[in-house]
Amino acid sequence: MTTTIPAGGPAALLTAPTKLLTAPPRPAFAERYLLEPALNADPYGYLNALRDHDPVHWSAMHRAWLVTGHGQLMHCLRDPAVSAERVGPLMDAVPEGAREDTERAFSILSRWMVFNDPPQHRRLRQVFQEQFSARGIARYRTFVERATRAMLTRRSVPGNSGDLLADIARPLPSLVFARWLGVPQAHSPSFWYWNARVGDLVLGAAQEEREYRTSLQSLVKLDDYLAGLVRERAADPKDDLISSVLAGGQIGKSVSEEEFVGMLTQMAFAGGETTSNLIANTMLALLRHPEQLAQVRANPDLVPLAVEETMRFDGPSKMSIRSAARDFDLDGRAVRGGDRLFLVTAAANRDPERFADPDLFSVARGSTSHLGFGFGAHFCIGAALARLVACSVVGVLVREYPDLALTTDRHSWQPSLLNRALTALPVRY
């Protein structure tokens, strides 16, 4: 075999023209509506593509900045220019025909911690610090485990088919939170109906005038009910959250009774919904990944890690919404005061710059630095209780139901920008 030397000698090899190999152009990124059915069912492929394309992306379609990068989202959670005060946009969405019910309902929402910035947020939150601490929650462990076994015994006979969401994931957190707040069992049906309708309002499920009116009236009824419960506990304390906070002596001093009741409506709404979805999503992830389920069954100490990995991999919340309190720079983008920001934790929790093999569900990952419970001042105050309840239910199901299996590989999800919530989880026990 011979090589032809170009004119000019061997040195010309260094300058001889060569054919350059170029990578094919990347396809143009096409934005999609986050609530279209296919994306609502499985958002992660698209969110990964969006984050890779532009981790801080202005969406004309959603009229908001979509923040999907882990580092960029952490910046937002730390920056005081990013505000949690967003009751106004919720109120603006109410149809004219339902407006007569808005004034009091939105005054209640304005007292929710999640809708307040520091220093207001800190002042409201500090009255609950002891009750929500891991130490304060731990005393409910025995009650939660007993309630879990009792409910599973009644609702899930081994060998039978059922809906794990309806049988245990939804009612168990409701039972625990009602017991913790001090709601008598006889009042539970009305209490949880009002909570569900408040969820329709806050999570954007209410669309029609009638639905808005029902949600607004339910929030007022929930507030009235909890105000009555606070008066009862002030006169006759029990072993519950309300009595414990009242005993601390701060209600009526650093926080008014009206503010306290308003915050209780937030607790009532948030606690059951988030924990129900966490239980269902954890069991779905384990049942879809039998090798991971086998590891947890072989070593039940991995149950808390399975719950944490679910918070990262497919948690109960997809995003939170904020607004810009003033102009600021975010990753080279000029965010203007008043702009909305969608902090897409579902995308940030799969950012390869923060997590190795982010699309892999692994109970041995060991990292709890996900953003599923938020971060900083707005870290979820109920995280310890949610973890306790979820770990209890998942632990019992993993240890005591060895034949538990999915009966379908197709699942539907509630349409929501914010929540990641199954409509059902059919299983064979």
Side-chain angles (χ1 to χ4, degrees), residues 304-372:
L305 292 181
V307 170
E308 295 300 323
E309 176 67 345
T310 300
M311 288 296 300
R312 183 200 69 82
F313 178 79
D314 194 16
S317 173
K318 291 186 287 191
M319 71 171 72
S320 59
I321 297 176
R322 298 288 191 270
S323 63
R326 59 179 181 273
D327 295 357
F328 72 101
D329 178 87
L330 178 58
D331 203 36
R333 307 296 195 275
V335 179
R336 301 302 181 195
D339 285 355
R340 287 197 307 168
L341 298 104
F342 288 1
L343 307 187
V344 191
T345 49
N349 280 335
R350 294 199 184 197
D351 190 335
E353 293 192 10
R354 181 63 189 84
F355 302 98
D357 297 319
D359 294 319
L360 179 71
F361 178 76
S362 172
V363 299
R365 186 177 296 275
S367 171
T368 58
S369 59
H370 60 75
L371 299 172

Side-chain angles (χ1 to χ4, degrees), residues 20-272:
L20 297 177
L21 297 177
T22 58
R26 295 178 65 179
F29 180 80
E31 186 175 357
R32 297 166 62 184
Y33 181 47
L34 292 173
L35 273 179
E36 69 177 66
L39 280 190
N40 189 69
D42 185 4
Y44 296 105
Y46 173 75
L47 291 178
N48 287 345
L50 173 59
R51 186 191 57 242
D52 294 345
H53 167 71
D54 188 3
V56 180
H57 175 74
W58 172 255
S59 169
M61 183 181 296
H62 296 90
R63 302 190 300 280
W65 293 96
L66 305 185
V67 184
T68 51
H70 189 279
Q72 293 84 352
L73 201 148
M74 286 285 284
H75 179 103
C76 290
L77 292 174
R78 291 186 173 114
D79 195 328
V82 179
S83 173
E85 294 182 5
R86 53 196 186 276
V87 173
L90 279 174
M91 190 169 182
D92 292 342
V94 177
E96 284 296 328
R99 286 297 174 95
E100 70 269 18
D101 299 308
T102 58
E103 185 174 351
R104 182 169 168 208
F106 281 94
S107 72
I108 297 167
L109 288 181
S110 71
R111 296 192 283 276
W112 285 21
M113 287 182 287
V114 293
F115 295 149
N116 278 273
D117 293 324
Q120 277 286 89
H121 176 270
R122 189 179 305 112
R123 178 181 66 83
L124 296 171
R125 183 181 175 118
Q126 54 88 27
V127 302
F128 291 102
Q129 287 297 121
E130 177 59 30
Q131 289 75 23
F132 277 97
S133 68
R135 182 182 63 184
I137 294 300
R139 65 195 187 97
Y140 286 94
R141 184 179 306 278
T142 299
F143 167 74
V144 172
E145 291 178 350
R146 286 177 178 169
T148 299
R149 284 193 172 86
M151 190 168 287
L152 281 168
T153 298
R154 292 196 308 270
R155 296 170 179 253
S156 51
V157 178
N160 286 4
S161 295
D163 175 3
L164 194 147
L165 182 65
D167 292 342
I168 186 69
R170 190 174 287 138
L172 194 280
S174 298
L175 174 69
V176 172
F177 275 80
R179 163 69 178 82
W180 182 63
L181 284 171
V183 176
Q185 190 170 355
H187 300 168
S188 288
S190 295
F191 181 76
W192 290 112
Y193 172 79
W194 295 328
N195 271 282
R197 301 293 73 77
V198 171
D200 293 342
L201 173 68
V202 175
L203 298 176
Q207 298 295 318
E208 300 177 2
E209 181 180 308
R210 173 183 53 81
E211 293 170 332
Y212 271 102
R213 186 177 292 110
T214 298
S215 291
L216 293 165
Q217 292 171 353
S218 293
L219 178 55
V220 169
K221 289 176 181 176
L222 181 63
D223 190 75
D224 285 340
Y225 174 78
L226 287 168
L229 204 56
V230 168
R231 289 192 294 271
E232 288 180 20
R233 294 297 178 266
D236 183 18
K238 305 288 185 186
D239 178 21
D240 55 37
L241 170 72
I242 293 174
S243 300
S244 178
V245 174
L246 290 173
Q250 296 186 65
I251 306 306
K253 296 179 181 177
S254 61
V255 169
S256 70
E257 183 174 314
E258 186 180 45
E259 288 175 321
F260 177 46
V261 174
M263 287 189 289
L264 288 175
T265 66
Q266 177 197 327
M267 307 291 180
F269 155 71

